[in-house]
Amino acid sequence: MIRTIFCSTVLVGVLAWTGCASSGVKNPSGVPVTRLNPDEQGFVAGTGIESQDLVAVADKMARSILAIPQIAQAPRPPVVVLDPVENKTRFPINKDIFLTRIRAQLNSRAAGKVIFLARDRMATLERERNLKREGAVTSASDPNLQEFQGADYFLTGTLEGLSTRTRAGTSDYILYSFQLIDARTSAIVWEDMAEVKKQGLEDAAYR
């Protein structure tokens, strides 16, 4: 049986998230596939970075960002660009999934408080602009004007870890730290962290 505890947090009048927490799921005998919530630890688990860590860390960072004066009291929505996360742990995971979830949380739960630029789509955007300049497609504005917006802040982060292995098992400590950096001055205007430590008898392979 899965036991779930529901909790809710409301912040700065514009953000409300509901998170679920589970004490873990045991492998049900005879069931080939078990559907879990992303924030639940299943029976296939290791000491590294897993979905429940991603959910908890990304939600904490999104709430924390909205609380700082540069965002909560900004006269206009700040423009943010995602800068790739640096993975210094021993786990070869998709590190940028953390920023993707933080961005999605802010866009869906706090629309209008922060604006993100799609810099990872620049090739597509430039191709569309060139088509408009050539007259191959229609344009609602002058395609010769430079309209790509500059960033106010860069959102980035680092994943760092410490690992211990003995005959008794494996232990992993992971520090998740994220920063919001002023694009003009390079000042770190916000930083927050989360840390997780796990121990287990067996290691796991991560992809």
Side-chain angles (χ1 to χ4, degrees):
M1 177 179 293
I2 302 175
R3 296 182 299 175
T4 307
I5 302 173
F6 293 93
C7 57
S8 61
T9 304
V10 180
L11 184 61
V12 297
V14 297
L15 183 64
W17 272 296
T18 300
C20 303
S22 172
S23 59
V25 179
K26 296 182 179 180
N27 187 0
S29 178
V31 179
V33 176
T34 303
R35 186 180 182 89
L36 307 176
N37 292 323
D39 61 346
E40 292 179 321
Q41 178 175 318
F43 49 86
V44 179
T47 59
I49 302 169
E50 298 184 341
S51 66
Q52 66 271 16
D53 307 317
L54 164 65
V55 171
V57 170
D59 286 1
K60 176 185 178 182
M61 298 306 153
R63 291 193 298 268
S64 181
I65 289 172
L66 282 181
I68 64 174
Q70 289 86 347
I71 302 297
Q73 301 172 18
R76 61 173 179 81
V79 178
V80 178
V81 168
L82 302 182
D83 193 48
V85 167
E86 187 175 4
N87 181 14
K88 296 182 179 180
T89 73
R90 68 183 182 91
F91 304 105
I93 66 164
N94 178 10
K95 54 189 174 52
D96 292 319
I97 194 172
F98 285 90
L99 293 184
T100 299
R101 198 175 198 282
I102 293 172
R103 182 189 63 199
Q105 284 285 65
L106 292 175
N107 279 335
S108 63
R109 303 292 185 177
K113 298 295 292 184
V114 183
I115 296 175
F116 290 93
L117 299 183
R119 287 285 176 82
D120 57 330
R121 306 294 183 183
M122 285 296 290
T124 299
L125 295 170
E126 290 176 347
R127 183 167 60 250
E128 177 68 12
R129 183 180 61 182
N130 291 337
L131 289 173
K132 291 177 179 177
R133 287 177 175 175
E134 296 167 359
V137 296
T138 60
S139 176
S141 59
D142 185 354
N144 293 311
L145 294 177
Q146 177 58 267
E147 295 181 335
F148 290 148
Q149 194 171 5
D152 297 314
Y153 301 103
F154 289 98
L155 177 61
T156 188
T158 305
L159 313 181
E160 300 179 82
L162 292 172
S163 300
T164 304
R165 291 181 181 178
T166 68
R167 288 181 295 178
T170 300
S171 173
D172 278 286
Y173 163 84
I174 299 176
L175 175 66
Y176 306 85
S177 62
F178 293 85
Q179 304 86 33
L180 196 64
I181 302 172
D182 190 307
R184 183 178 61 87
T185 66
S186 77
I188 299 176
V189 300
W190 165 87
E191 184 170 21
D192 204 347
M193 69 174 191
E195 50 191 352
V196 177
K197 184 174 182 179
K198 300 177 186 178
Q199 292 183 334
L201 297 179
E202 298 181 1
D203 204 354
Y206 292 84
R207 297 177 59 187

